[in-house]
Each structure stands twice: as structure tokens, then as C-alpha cells.
């Protein structure tokens, strides 16, 4: 261990990221030995340079239940594994995070489940993450907490380490107050997030929803995205005799707190809540799209599909929020109506496996695969297939080849925080060809106004957009794509990280 590394172990790290998963994946070599590989996700890509500059630390679960690992270093990052038991994975992750919060935050497309023991596990695991971050952070460090799995961490961390500056980013939508109020532990979640100095959301509407929930449920004074959080409201309900329940903290105090705080109100903390739309590693996608072997692979894909005039492409996690069923229904009706025909058109649907331990996802997979079988059974010919369905995860090189092969990208999510697939498709289309059909219920729709924006619940509108995309004048398609690419190229994931951390640094400096 070098002197610098030993100093970090002794004195902590100036920049700490706290996320549900570590920034690495475990890999097994051909000889059976195991090691670690940096995760390919956009968050890791955006923050890796910051980690290298600051010798940062990343706190997260390493992906294996009932296993404890010591902290270790990998590629300029100090990694702090947080252990989870198999029961905690079931209750905290599959349960509260993905069967309670995920459906609730995605407009209750599926019914959320509310179980007290799930929330108790969520709180217990969040406490463990907060303690790990507190232990590794240097004095006056910057800590950035990521996403809905860890919404209680900011306040827990503030109680443990009031010297650190805390950011929180919510990668998924934040629901309207009427939906959020269904959550039995709504006050605990709001208080948890409000422990941060800066709270980031994908869309302005998400930030407004959060502010309205805070104003309505907690009664805090809000002006210009700045939420004044009184010290007496920041205590958690740890140890309460009503474990798992929330009392209403606003009773008797809301009227006072809805006005600007005064000296009589005593100490208060300011949390700023605003939008910071995330993006992609644009340069990486562009470089891959220019590689001769990937261009050749895209041409091979079209030949394997029978060289149709129009290749429609959908790329999603197999999730009920993605609108895959709506997309297939629209495509099926176009075939039935004769507006499209097999051979002239083909739909390629990549549906990567997702949360297969959650019952609603198993049901969705069976339904989607049944729909694909029925449509292909009715419309396939000996030479061509109607839908090429791929229930796999693919490396980014194959995904870029698919983007190049596709004439029309279908993003029909019913609710999505951002949807980075839409941005990846546009980044890959350097030639200026291709058309993006984009749900207005994605965060990407706020920025990508030159796409064909649709309401995916309106199947007739979806069908019309698919036909328009397939028959669009090439000059019009190039005009739209050039505009989309300018937006995506100038707003990459590195800029997102710089904008968020720059604002957090400004708040830190102002608080001195």
C-alpha cells in the first residue's frame, strides 16, 4: 500500500458516492479465477474521472447475498462493499424498493404493495449504507447518494456526519402528491431525502412534485427551489413505538412553517430541489457507431431479417413501465389493417431480463412472450418473421449495431425518468438518417422535441406515428435527426455530473 493510499484509509475520502450497487461487476475468467470489471453504466462512466481526480470512494452492494467483503481498490476507486443477507435482498430490494416504490413512483401502472416488514428492512439497510459512508468520508467531504433505493440515507448521514455536504439524485420519476400520499411511510421518505443539501431530479415536473409533497405533508417554507427544513423536523422515527408507521409531523406546525423562517424558528437546514436531466456517454456511442466491424454487423442484421424496407426497434428492460404491450398491439393492428406487411416491415424487440424474482415481472414476461407467439403465428411467412423477440442482455457493441440497423426507434414508455435508449439511438445516427418515436411520458421528451412525440396509451396515435416514421421524407428525417443529435451531443453524461457537482460545490462554499 502506498503512502497516499494509507493516508486515505487513515483520514477518509473527499468524494464519496453511495449507490445500491458498487461500480464494478464480478467476472469469472476461463481458468475459473474471479476478478472485478468496471460496470458499463452511465453513472460509473460519468463519475469515474471525478473518482480518479479525488481518489474517491464508492459505497454499494457487491451483488452477492450473504457474503461479506473487505474494502478494496480498483481502477482509481476505493470500493466499500455493503453486505446484504438473502432476506434483505428479498425485503429491501425486491420488496420495498421494487414492489412498493417503483410502481408507486411510476404512476401506479402496477399496484404497489405496502408491507411493514419491507419498510423495516429498507430502513435497516439504509442505515447500514449511511454508516459505511460516514466511516469512509473525510472531514467536510462531499457525498453523493444515488436513487430511490437509498432515500433515507441523506438524513441518516447528516445525523452521523453533520460536517459533510450531501447530494441526492433521484433517477426515476417522483410521483404527484396525490399518488405519493398513498405511501404509509411518506414522511420518513421526505425527511430522509431532505437531509441532502442538493436534491436532483430528471424533470422539472418531478422537482415540483417533490416540493409540493414537502409543502403539503411537512409544511416547510419553499422559495426558488430552496426548502427550509427546521431542525426539529429532521429527527427520524427510529425507536418509535409505532415502528413502520408515520405520525403526521405537520399538525400544529404547518401554518408557522409555510411563512419565511425567522430567528425565532431557530436552526434550519436548506435543501435545494431542482432538475438535472441525465444523459449518456455520447462520445463512446459515436466512436462505436463509426467502427467498420460494427457497421458491417448492422448490415448483417438487416440481411438476417430478410432486408425489410423498415426495421422498427424496441430496446427495453422487461418492465411494465416500458409500454412493450402497447407497442406490440399497435404493430399487430397495422399488420391486420394492411398498413404494414411482413417482409416490408419487421419489429425487433430486445427485452433484457429484469427483476425475475418479482412476481409481476414473471407475469409480464409470460404475457409478452405469449403475444409475440400469437402475432408471429398469424403473420409470419416462410421467408420473414413479424417480430424478432430477443430476451437477452447484449454488449454495447451489439446494441450500437442494432441502432444502426434500425430505421425507426420505438420508445413507448408509459412512465420513465429519462430513457437513455432514445439518446443512444440518436447519438449512433451520425448519418442523419432514422426516426425516433418517443413517448411524451419520458424525461427525454422534454429535451428531444424533434422526435415524433406520442401518447402511448393512444394506440391510434402510436400507429399513426409508426406509419409516419416509416414513410417520412428523407430530408425531413435528416432535419429532425440533426436537431436531436445537436441536443444529445452537447448534453452528455459528463456535463450532467459537472453541473450537479458544480452546484453542490457552490452550496458548500456559500454555507461556509
Amino acid at each position: 500500500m502506498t503512502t497516499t493510499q494509507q493516508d486515505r484509509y487513515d483520514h477518509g475520502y473527499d468524494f464519496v458516492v453511495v449507490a445500491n450497487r458498487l461500480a464494478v461487476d464480478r467476472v469469472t475468467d476461463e481458468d475459473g479465477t474471479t476478478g472485478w470489471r468496471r460496470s458499463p453504466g452511465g453513472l460509473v462512466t460519468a463519475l469515474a474521472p471525478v473518482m480518479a481526480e479525488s481518489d474517491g470512494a464508492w459505497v454499494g452492494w457487491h451483488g452477492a447475498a450473504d457474503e461479506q467483503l473487505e474494502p478494496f481498490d480498483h481502477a482509481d476507486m476505493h470500493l466499500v462493499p455493503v453486505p446484504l443477507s438473502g432476506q434483505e435482498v428479498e425485503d429491501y430490494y425486491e420488496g420495498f424498493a421494487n414492489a412498493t416504490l417503483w410502481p408507486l413512483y411510476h404512476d401506479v401502472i402496477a399496484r404497489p404493495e405496502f408491507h411493514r416488514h419491507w419498510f423495516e428492512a429498507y430502513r435497516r439497510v439504509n442505515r447500514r449504507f449511511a454508516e459505511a459512508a460516514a466511516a469512509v468520508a473525510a472531514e467536510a467531504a462531499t457525498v453523493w447518494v444515488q436513487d430511490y433505493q437509498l432515500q433515507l440515507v441523506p438524513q441518516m448521514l447528516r445525523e452521523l456526519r453533520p460536517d459533510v455536504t450531501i447530494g441526492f439524485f433521484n433517477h426515476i420519476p417522483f410521483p404527484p402528491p396525490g399518488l405519493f400520499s398513498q405511501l404509509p411511510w411518506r414522511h420518513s421518505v421526505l425527511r430522509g431525502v431532505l437531509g441532502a443539501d442538493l436534491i436532483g431530479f430528471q424533470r422539472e415536473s418531478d422537482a415540483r412534485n417533490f416540493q409540493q409533497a414537502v409543502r403539503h405533508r411537512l409544511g416547510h417554507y419553499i422559495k426558488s427551489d430552496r426548502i427550509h427544513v427546521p431542525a426539529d423536523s429532521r429527527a427520524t422515527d427510529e425507536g418509535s413505538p409505532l415502528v413502520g408507521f408515520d405520525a403526521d409531523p405537520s399538525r400544529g406546525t404547518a401554518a408557522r412553517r409555510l411563512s419565511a423562517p425567522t430567528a425565532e424558528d431557530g436552526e434550519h437546514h436548506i435543501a435545494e430541489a431542482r432538475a438535472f436531466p441525465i444523459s449518456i456517454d455520447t462520445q463512446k456511442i459515436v466512436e462505436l457507431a463509426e467502427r467498420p466491424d460494427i457497421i458491417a454487423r448492422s448490415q448483417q442484421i438487416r440481411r438476417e431479417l430478410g432486408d425489410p424496407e423498415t426495421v422498427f426497434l424496441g430496446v427495453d428492460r422487461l418492465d411494465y413501465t416500458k409500454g412493450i404491450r402497447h407497442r406490440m398491439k399497435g404493430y399487430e393492428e397495422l399488420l391486420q389493417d394492411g398498413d404494414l406487411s411482413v417482409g416490408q416491415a419487421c419489429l425487433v424487440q430486445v427485452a433484457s431480463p429484469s427483476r425475475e424474482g418479482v412476481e409481476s415481472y414473471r407475469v409480464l414476461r409470460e404475457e409478452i412472450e405469449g403475444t409475440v407467439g400469437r402475432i408471429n403465428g398469424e403473420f409470419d411467412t416462410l421467408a420473414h418473421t413479424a417480430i424478432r423477440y430477443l430476451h437477452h442482455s447484449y454488449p454495447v457493441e451489439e446494441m450500437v449495431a442494432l441502432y444502426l440497423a434500425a430505421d425507426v426507434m420505438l420508445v413507448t414508455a408509459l412512465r420513465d425518468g429519462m430513457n437513455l435508449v432514445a439518446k443512444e439511438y440518436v447519438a449512433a445516427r451520425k448519418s442523419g438518417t432514422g426516426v425516433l418515436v418517443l413517448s411524451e411520458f419520458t424525461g427525454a421528451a422534454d429535451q428531444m422535441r424533434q422526435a415524433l412525440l406520442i401518447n402511448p396509451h393512444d394506440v391510434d396515435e402510436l400507429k399513426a406515428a409508426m406509419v409516419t416514421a416509416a414513410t417520412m421524407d428523407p430530408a425531413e428525417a435528416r432535419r429532425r435527426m440533426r436537431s436531436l443529435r445537436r441536443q444529445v451531443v452537447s448534453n452528455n453524461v459528463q456535463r450532467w455530473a459537472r453541473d450537479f457537482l458544480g452546484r453542490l460545490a457552490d452550496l458548500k462554499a456559500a454555507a461556509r
Side-chain angles (χ1 to χ4, degrees), residues 284-285 288-289 291 293-295 297-298 301 394-404:
K284 180 179 181 179
I285 299 297
L288 289 172
R291 272 176 37 182
D293 60 321
I294 291 179
I295 294 172
R297 172 59 183 151
S298 72
I301 289 171
Y394 289 98
V396 64
E397 293 83 0
E398 183 73 358
M399 295 311 306
V400 172
L402 281 166
Y403 295 148
L404 293 177

Side-chain angles (χ1 to χ4, degrees), residues 7-297:
D7 184 65
R8 290 287 182 247
Y9 277 102
D10 292 341
H11 302 290
Y13 293 77
D14 291 327
F15 180 58
V16 179
V17 173
V18 188
N20 180 62
R21 291 297 297 268
L22 283 179
V24 293
D25 298 320
R26 180 179 269 155
V27 293
T28 302
D29 296 329
E30 292 181 0
D31 61 2
T33 60
T34 60
W36 300 95
R37 176 181 59 198
R38 198 178 88 176
S39 299
L43 181 64
V44 179
T45 299
L47 297 184
V50 184
M51 289 281 177
E53 293 169 7
S54 59
D55 290 322
W58 191 297
V59 176
W61 180 45
H62 61 282
D66 299 308
E67 180 184 43
Q68 295 207 19
L69 296 179
E70 292 297 317
F72 61 97
D73 292 322
H74 183 276
D76 297 319
M77 285 186 282
H78 182 62
L79 300 169
V80 183
V82 176
L84 295 179
S85 69
Q87 190 63 51
E88 285 171 337
V89 173
E90 182 177 334
D91 293 341
Y92 145 76
Y93 182 71
E94 294 179 353
F96 193 77
N98 290 314
T100 299
L101 293 177
W102 180 270
L104 183 68
Y105 282 30
H106 286 85
D107 292 354
V108 195
I109 295 168
R111 179 179 296 178
E113 299 180 41
F114 304 117
H115 299 295
R116 285 169 288 179
H117 70 282
W118 283 1
F119 178 71
E120 290 162 11
Y122 182 82
R123 181 164 52 192
R124 183 171 64 253
V125 169
N126 273 237
R127 171 67 63 179
R128 193 176 305 149
F129 274 81
E131 290 172 347
V136 79
E139 184 177 356
T142 295
V143 181
W144 194 359
V145 183
Q146 305 291 331
D147 223 359
Y148 67 105
Q149 301 97 340
L150 301 175
Q151 291 175 108
L152 305 184
V153 168
Q155 181 50 35
M156 290 174 171
L157 181 59
R158 182 167 294 278
E159 292 169 356
L160 293 166
R161 292 289 305 273
D163 60 297
V164 303
T165 302
I166 304 169
F168 176 84
F169 191 81
N170 196 67
H171 291 259
I172 68 173
F174 194 87
L179 289 181
F180 182 73
S181 65
Q182 295 180 25
L183 184 67
W185 308 279
R186 54 205 176 183
H187 303 117
S188 290
V189 168
L190 291 175
R191 289 197 299 268
V193 174
L194 287 171
D197 298 283
L198 179 62
I199 306 163
F201 297 92
Q202 299 282 24
R203 310 180 79 170
E204 292 288 350
S205 58
D206 295 324
R208 288 195 300 271
N209 285 344
F210 177 78
Q211 292 175 14
Q212 290 168 7
V214 168
R215 183 181 289 112
H216 178 63
R217 304 308 321 177
L218 302 182
H220 295 344
Y221 176 73
I222 303 174
K223 184 177 181 180
S224 301
D225 299 331
R226 293 165 66 83
I227 303 168
H228 295 256
V229 185
D232 62 353
S233 77
R234 298 203 303 257
T236 66
D237 54 3
E238 291 280 354
S240 165
L242 296 175
V243 173
F245 289 93
D246 268 330
D248 189 339
S250 65
R251 290 177 184 167
T253 61
R256 174 173 61 83
R257 291 177 183 163
L258 284 171
S259 58
T262 66
E264 295 179 357
D265 293 318
E267 179 187 358
H268 68 278
H269 154 69
I270 294 179
E272 184 170 294
R274 51 185 291 195
F276 292 88
I278 199 170
S279 192
I280 62 169
D281 185 2
T282 308
Q283 182 178 353
K284 180 179 181 179
I285 299 297
V286 171
E287 289 175 353
L288 289 172
E290 293 174 340
R291 272 176 37 182
D293 60 321
I294 291 179
I295 294 172
R297 172 59 183 151

